Amino acid sequence: MKKIGLALGSGGPKGLSHIGVIKVLEKAGIQIDMIAGSSIGALVGSIYTVTESAKKIEEIALGTNMNTVLSVLFDPTLKLGLIRGKKVTRLFQEIIGDYTIENLPKKFIAVATDLTTGNPIFFEEGNLLDAVRASISIPFMFQPIKIENTLLVDGGLSLQVPVEPLKKCRADIIIAVNLSENSFKPPKFTGKFVNTPRELYKVASDSINTLQYSLARENCKNADIIVAPNVKDIKWDSFWKPQKAILRGEKAMKEKLPELLKILEE
């Protein structure tokens, strides 16, 4: 029996489309044997690994309102970030409970980034809440998490799409969900340099988007199936209005399903 691995990429609210991808796979009767997630991918992947139900994780997403999101984000600090993240961890604990990664129903790997070396850190054992909290620690926004004298931040900084750990775990078929592929817009240069705050922000934003796009493409080179939901218009309010993102994930996975089924038959 071939082992199937699912790599869920980083991308903030765009990652809610992962739920749609999982829904289609589950409906098609395709058993996922191992999941690796970076950032939002770790969050969605961990909940699915615990619940083993696409319907359950969709219910959680649809049941989240604006007040809930804003309340957990109102957790201010000025120590290496704006948000401590304790309220996020507490909400996550209420949703899925306490687990150790090695005792989950299926193989799960959360990816974080070592801030001092820039290397990816693969959580394959230990406390699930700590692993996911480390993986979603967006720099400047969330305070980094310290584990065994290592300062950890968002997994997407080192692995946008965590295909590598699934390869190391000898997955036979790897499905990679790349949230950057169809979100990337090549920067347009007018030929004029305008030194305004808006233009400076645009240059910085375009530079980060280009870096994420290139890194995600490189990460997906060893994947067998690459799913790229069209999520360029998905904004932060999708955390309390997730339906559009979920549908985009479903559409992208349905388009790739014949290709996946052909590989499975072979």
Side-chain angles (χ1 to χ4, degrees):
M1 183 71 72
K2 292 181 178 179
K3 291 183 179 179
I4 300 176
L6 179 62
L8 301 177
S10 66
K14 295 176 174 64
L16 293 167
S17 61
H18 291 321
I19 300 172
V21 171
I22 293 170
K23 281 180 66 180
V24 173
L25 291 171
E26 191 176 274
K27 189 173 182 179
I30 296 171
Q31 176 68 39
I32 302 301
D33 299 290
M34 56 185 79
I35 295 176
S38 280
S39 198
I40 185 68
L43 182 63
V44 173
S46 63
I47 297 174
Y48 180 65
T49 304
V50 169
T51 63
E52 297 187 282
S53 169
K55 182 180 179 181
K56 178 63 177 175
I57 191 172
E58 184 175 32
E59 287 175 353
I60 292 170
L62 294 175
T64 302
N65 57 42
M66 182 174 63
N67 290 335
T68 301
V69 174
L70 294 180
S71 67
V72 298
L73 292 180
F74 187 72
D75 189 15
T77 181
L78 292 176
K79 294 182 179 179
L80 304 180
L82 299 178
I83 302 169
R84 286 187 300 173
K86 288 186 177 180
K87 289 185 178 180
V88 173
T89 303
R90 194 179 305 128
L91 176 62
F92 186 50
Q93 184 178 29
E94 290 173 2
I95 292 172
I96 66 166
D98 280 315
Y99 286 88
T100 53
I101 297 174
E102 57 269 34
N103 291 325
L104 291 172
K106 64 180 67 184
K107 180 72 175 178
F108 174 74
I109 306 161
V111 181
T113 301
D114 185 333
L115 191 58
T116 58
T117 66
N119 294 327
I121 301 296
F122 303 151
F123 284 92
E124 299 183 62
E125 58 183 24
N127 185 273
L128 179 62
L129 296 173
D130 289 343
V132 174
R133 169 65 181 84
S135 187
I136 65 170
S137 295
I138 302 171
F140 184 70
M141 180 180 289
F142 283 102
Q143 187 180 59
I145 186 169
K146 189 176 182 181
I147 298 179
E148 296 181 357
N149 295 319
T150 302
L151 208 57
L152 300 174
V153 291
D154 195 288
L157 293 179
S158 53
L159 274 182
Q160 278 277 308
V161 190
V163 170
E164 181 186 338
L166 295 176
K167 204 73 178 175
K168 288 184 176 180
C169 291
R170 300 190 177 184
D172 298 303
I173 299 171
I174 298 176
I175 305 164
V177 186
N178 182 353
L179 302 176
S180 296
E181 183 69 25
N182 282 325
S183 299
F184 178 69
K185 296 179 182 178
K188 293 182 179 179
F189 179 54
T190 62
K192 297 179 180 180
F193 288 99
V194 183
N195 193 23
T196 64
R198 183 177 180 180
E199 288 297 317
L200 290 172
Y201 172 79
K202 188 176 184 305
V203 169
S205 177
D206 287 344
S207 300
I208 292 170
N209 289 337
T210 301
L211 180 62
Q212 290 176 330
Y213 172 76
S214 300
L215 179 59
R217 279 202 147 193
E218 182 67 25
N219 294 163
C220 289
K221 281 186 175 180
N222 289 321
D224 299 283
I225 299 288
I226 301 173
V227 184
N230 184 358
V231 287
K232 62 171 67 76
D233 60 338
I234 300 299
K235 307 299 182 184
W236 287 96
D237 63 352
S238 291
F239 277 122
W240 55 86
K241 294 186 290 185
Q243 194 59 54
K244 182 163 68 172
I246 294 172
L247 289 172
R248 298 287 177 81
E250 288 184 51
K251 183 176 185 296
M253 189 64 245
K254 284 177 181 177
E255 291 172 355
K256 286 290 185 175
L257 197 55
E259 185 181 343
L260 175 59
L261 292 173
K262 184 178 180 181
I263 292 174
L264 289 172
E265 287 173 4
E266 292 173 351

